[in-house]
């Protein structure tokens, strides 16, 4: 029987995974609505813990004030990059003139970004609580404690990077790193959930090895990470194109992205093939109501949603709702694939599986 303290950890871990996905949803809404600079400072919003609802609540000379603050913060970040030997990156930040352009107050964008930050704060507190609760495993599974601490550090770094995203006016490569770190946080959460849930399960001897299925799932995971990275770069290119066209001629934006979009679209076909192979092998090897089979069914459904939202984006001038769906379900796909990999990895050591 699972002790009460461990059940509490497992339950909180699952809640944190869900809330992290909700945070990614909030970030996707921010991205699709262009609300990333809705709060020009960090961690406060217009120097307030609760942001203003009208322009008359703004600080005096707020545009000049926040531009000056961003420039000072960016100079500190550039000096850090200099010390890391990234002089070209540092110079690109110093000479980026878009950072000197003040943001005009927009109440809907401000509150959209503020809600995103609140979701981030809730996620941070949940990860802190999860780290505290992880000490229930100090005698039987110290890796859970270590990984919970690591995740707390990663989310702290992610929060700092979020402040850099704001101060650099959504600098493209920093936004990409910000997204990839979200996947790292999710992966650690999924692993600690899997490992803590698996401690008391009974296992029987293996009948057939599934190393080739593990490799296929790893390939699918790698493809998902590459697709998310390419998708982020496509979004960054769209942002630049939309600004250059003064947000007009929306139906031409995708056609101007170039090779990055082509790679993203073509790789989607390969992703579909790999995941179909995974699905077929799981159906063939795992019988009845196996968790692996249910996960594969979920992955198939998410893939269909991804394909549909991708087609809508490319053929119907990038509607914001489709952008949100496409981004959120890409991270859901990654989460499900990683959990499936962990289950199949366990199968290769413990679980009885069906053979032909």
């Amino acid at each position: 029987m699972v002790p009460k303290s461990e059940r509490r950890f497992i339950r909180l871990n699952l809640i944190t995974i869900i809330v992290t996905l909700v945070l990614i949803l909030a970030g996707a809404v921010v991205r699709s609505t262009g609300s990333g600079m809705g709060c020009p400072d960090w961690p406060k919003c217009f120097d307030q813990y609760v942001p203003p609802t009208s322009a008359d609540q703004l600080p005096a000379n707020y545009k000049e004030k926040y531009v000056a603050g961003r420039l000072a913060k960016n100079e500190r970040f550039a000096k850090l990059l200099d010390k890391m030997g990234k002089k070209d990156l540092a110079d690109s930040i110093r000479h980026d003139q878009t950072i000197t352009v003040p943001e005009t107050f927009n109440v809907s964008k401000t509150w959209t970004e503020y809600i995103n930050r609140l979701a981030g704060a809730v996620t941070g507190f949940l990860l802190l609580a999860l780290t505290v609760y992880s000490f229930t495993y100090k005698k039987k599974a110290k890796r859970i404690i270590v990984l919970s601490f690591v995740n707390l550090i990663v989310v702290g770094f992610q929060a700092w990077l979020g402040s850099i995203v704001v101060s650099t006016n959504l600098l493209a490569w920093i936004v990409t790193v910000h997204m990839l770190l979200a996947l790292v946080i999710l992966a650690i959460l999924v692993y600690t959930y899997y490992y803590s849930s698996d401690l008391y399960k009974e296992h029987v001897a293996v009948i057939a090895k599934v190393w080739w299925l593990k490799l296929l799932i790893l390939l699918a995971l790698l493809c998902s990470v590459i697709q998310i990275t390419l998708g982020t770069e496509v979004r960054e290119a769209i942002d630049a194109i939309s600004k250059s066209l003064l947000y007009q001629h929306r139906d031409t934006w995708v056609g101007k992205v170039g090779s990055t979009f082509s790679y993203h679209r073509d790789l989607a076909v390969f992703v579909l093939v790999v995941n179909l192979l995974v699905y077929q092998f799981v159906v063939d090897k795992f019988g009845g109501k196996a968790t692996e089979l249910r996960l594969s069914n979920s992955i198939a459904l998410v893939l269909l949603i991804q394909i549909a939202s991708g087609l809508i984006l490319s053929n119907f001038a990038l509607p914001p709702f489709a952008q949100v769906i496409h981004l959120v379900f890409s991270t859901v796909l990654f989460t499900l694939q990683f959990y499936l990999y962990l289950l199949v990895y366990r199968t290769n050591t413990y679980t009885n599986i069906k053979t032909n």
Side-chain angles (χ1 to χ4, degrees):
M1 183 177 177
V2 182
K4 182 178 179 180
S5 60
E6 294 183 21
R7 291 201 306 271
R8 181 177 58 189
F9 176 87
I10 294 169
R11 184 167 57 249
L12 182 62
N13 199 330
L14 179 59
I15 291 170
T16 307
I17 291 172
I18 294 169
V19 171
T20 302
L21 290 171
V22 171
L23 172 60
I24 292 171
L25 169 62
V29 173
V30 167
R31 200 85 173 102
S32 66
T33 57
S35 302
M37 293 302 295
C39 294
D41 52 335
W42 191 95
K44 294 183 181 181
C45 186
F46 288 101
D47 205 29
Q48 300 175 40
Y49 288 109
V50 178
T53 55
S54 62
D56 58 5
Q57 297 173 336
L58 296 172
N61 302 319
Y62 76 93
K63 291 184 178 181
E64 294 79 4
K65 175 183 177 180
Y66 295 125
V67 167
R70 287 208 303 267
L71 289 172
K73 189 166 192 172
N74 289 347
E75 180 57 32
R76 294 194 295 270
F77 183 50
K79 287 180 179 178
L80 176 62
L81 291 174
D82 281 334
K83 292 178 181 179
M84 295 169 61
K86 306 294 183 180
K87 189 175 185 306
D88 290 341
L89 285 177
D91 288 342
S92 70
I93 291 174
R94 289 189 176 102
H95 299 130
D96 185 357
Q97 293 303 309
T98 64
I99 296 170
T100 64
V101 179
E103 293 294 321
T104 302
F105 175 72
N106 181 305
V107 65
S108 62
K109 291 184 177 181
T110 292
W111 277 85
T112 300
E113 168 61 12
Y114 180 67
I115 291 170
N116 177 48
R117 293 187 184 187
L118 285 179
V122 170
T123 305
F125 282 121
L126 284 173
L127 284 165
L128 178 60
L130 202 62
T131 302
V132 174
Y133 287 170
S134 70
F135 278 89
T136 192
Y137 294 99
K138 60 182 180 293
K139 292 183 178 179
K140 65 177 67 172
K142 290 183 179 179
R143 73 176 71 178
I144 292 177
I145 301 175
V146 172
L147 287 172
S148 297
F149 261 113
V150 169
N151 223 7
L152 197 59
I153 293 170
V154 173
V155 83
F157 180 75
Q158 179 80 318
W160 172 79
L161 193 63
S163 73
I164 298 298
V165 168
V166 172
S167 69
T168 56
N169 201 14
L170 310 178
L171 189 64
W173 66 271
I174 298 180
V175 174
T176 301
V177 174
H178 198 55
M179 183 67 226
L180 292 177
L181 276 178
L183 298 185
V184 172
I185 294 168
L186 267 175
I188 295 174
L189 282 170
V190 170
Y191 182 83
T192 53
Y193 175 76
Y194 153 78
Y195 192 75
S196 58
S197 301
D198 196 58
L199 284 174
Y200 289 90
K201 289 183 179 177
E202 294 184 3
H203 303 290
V204 293
V206 144
I207 294 178
K209 293 186 177 180
V210 288
W211 60 268
W212 38 267
L213 182 54
K214 284 167 46 182
L215 290 178
L216 266 180
I217 300 172
L218 275 178
L219 179 59
L221 268 170
L222 177 62
C223 289
S224 290
V225 173
I226 293 173
Q227 276 292 72
I228 289 171
T229 304
L230 287 174
T232 305
E233 292 181 358
V234 168
R235 178 66 242 188
E236 291 159 0
I238 291 291
D239 287 344
I241 292 165
S242 62
K243 287 180 182 179
S244 68
L245 296 176
L246 302 177
Y247 302 98
Q248 303 297 314
H249 311 293
R250 192 182 183 95
D251 57 333
T252 68
W253 296 355
V254 171
K256 295 179 182 295
V257 172
S259 59
T260 304
F261 175 75
S262 299
Y263 296 148
H264 186 57
R265 179 194 59 204
D266 296 344
L267 184 57
V269 177
F270 184 71
V271 169
L272 177 62
V273 172
V274 172
N275 279 280
L276 285 175
L277 286 173
V278 170
Y279 182 80
Q280 180 58 49
F281 289 142
V282 169
V283 169
D284 182 54
K285 288 294 180 182
F286 294 88
K289 298 180 180 179
T291 302
E292 292 85 353
L293 186 55
R294 294 198 299 271
L295 270 175
S296 294
N297 289 333
S298 299
I299 288 171
L301 177 60
V302 170
L303 272 174
L304 289 175
I305 295 172
Q306 279 293 87
I307 293 169
S309 60
L311 289 172
I312 291 171
L313 285 171
S314 59
N315 292 291
F316 295 95
L318 301 166
F321 81 89
Q323 295 177 40
V324 173
I325 291 172
H326 203 61
L327 175 57
V328 171
F329 277 91
S330 68
T331 55
V332 172
L333 179 63
F334 170 84
T335 303
L336 294 174
Q337 287 173 328
F338 185 54
Y339 192 51
L340 178 62
Y341 172 77
L342 293 173
L343 291 176
V344 172
Y345 185 88
R346 177 200 66 189
T347 296
N348 205 37
T349 309
Y350 302 113
T351 307
N352 189 5
I353 61 176
K354 181 179 72 174
T355 57
N356 291 332

